[in-house]
Amino acid sequence: MIKISLLLISIFSLLYGLVFSFAPYFFAELTQAEPTNIAWLRNIGASICGVLFFGLLYVYRLPSKNYDLFMIITITSILQTLGLIFSRFYNEFSAQNTLIIDFTIYSAIFVSLYLVYILLNYKSIFVK
């Protein structure tokens, strides 16, 4: 079940990452944001695809050899989530439709907490 959840988070991350990377104007329009920071969205999208999609997919395939990689993915997810929370708290988003932004933040919080949960409670799947 844990391995399947890693695959699902990986696919979810791919979808988010692809939207940010290849359709940032769509996301800006959806959130009613000013399209002035599109480069940042593309950068974040690439990071999400690289770390959360490819990283978790790799961990899914060979968990017994990738504890360190999983720890790096978890720490990166936490840092990205904290950055989102900080930006929301200080109202740094130009988005008028903050419901989508809040959904993104709640999703990031869930994923980060779940990754920490796996890291702390299922270390045995990483050691064989």
Side-chain angles (χ1 to χ4, degrees):
M1 182 64 183
I2 296 299
K3 277 187 69 174
I4 297 298
S5 66
L6 293 177
L7 180 62
L8 293 175
I9 292 171
S10 177
I11 292 168
F12 178 74
S13 299
L14 174 65
L15 297 175
Y16 248 92
L18 287 177
V19 168
F20 288 169
S21 293
F22 297 108
Y25 288 100
F26 168 77
F27 188 78
E29 186 175 312
L30 186 66
T31 59
Q32 299 170 354
E34 296 174 20
T36 55
N37 291 321
I38 295 302
W40 286 105
L41 279 177
R42 288 188 198 278
N43 192 345
I44 293 298
S47 173
I48 290 170
C49 285
V51 174
L52 287 169
F53 172 64
F54 287 112
L56 285 178
L57 192 62
Y58 194 74
V59 170
Y60 164 79
R61 286 189 45 233
L62 296 166
S64 64
K65 297 183 180 185
N66 288 300
Y67 179 77
D68 291 341
L69 176 59
F70 187 73
M71 189 182 310
I72 291 168
I73 292 167
T74 302
I75 292 168
T76 302
S77 179
I78 292 167
L79 292 173
Q80 288 177 327
T81 301
L82 290 174
L84 279 171
I85 293 168
F86 181 88
S87 290
R88 181 70 171 102
F89 183 76
Y90 286 102
N91 204 25
E92 295 175 340
F93 291 99
S94 67
Q96 300 302 310
N97 184 359
T98 57
L99 184 63
I100 304 295
I101 301 298
D102 291 341
F103 174 76
T104 301
I105 292 170
Y106 293 135
S107 297
I109 290 170
F110 173 78
V111 167
S112 292
L113 289 175
Y114 186 69
L115 295 178
V116 168
Y117 172 77
I118 292 171
L119 196 63
L120 296 175
N121 295 300
Y122 291 94
K123 189 173 183 176
S124 62
I125 68 169
F126 298 102
V127 181
K128 297 245 177 176

